Amino acid sequence: MSFGVANLARESLWTVVSREEKFKAKNIIDGAVFRGADAINAQIFNGLAALMKVPAVAIVGAGVAVGLGSAVAGPAARRRKSAPARQLV
């Protein structure tokens, strides 16, 4: 879902430029910006792991636990929200 939203938003940037400008700029953005962001995120991740003196696997495990918790809580919250409200008499 994130890719679908991000991709549409990114493609909407190219509606006001010529075809030639689009392809020149796209290479720069896809190459430098996204790879640069990946490198910065890796440095932040490694810095946090070193700062907390925790192996990187533990940080990944915590992320997986949060993701699984969200996967369980999301449908439960949806069911609870769509249930008919109780009438107060």
Side-chain angles (χ1 to χ4, degrees):
M1 182 168 154
S2 177
F3 173 77
V5 173
N7 193 34
L8 287 174
R10 193 172 66 228
E11 291 298 322
S12 70
L13 296 173
W14 308 117
T15 58
V16 295
V17 297
S18 70
R19 188 175 180 97
E20 184 179 333
E21 291 172 323
K22 172 184 175 180
F23 288 110
K24 285 181 181 177
K26 254 184 141 177
N27 289 331
I28 293 169
I29 290 174
D30 287 344
V33 174
F34 288 123
R35 297 301 77 83
D38 290 343
I40 290 169
N41 285 333
Q43 293 299 318
I44 291 171
F45 181 85
N46 290 334
L48 286 174
L51 182 68
M52 296 187 315
K53 297 182 188 327
V54 176
V57 175
I59 295 174
V60 171
V64 168
V66 169
L68 289 174
S70 296
V72 170
R78 187 177 346 120
R79 279 192 304 273
R80 201 167 121 200
K81 183 177 180 191
S82 63
R86 289 184 274 164
Q87 294 285 334
L88 295 175
V89 181

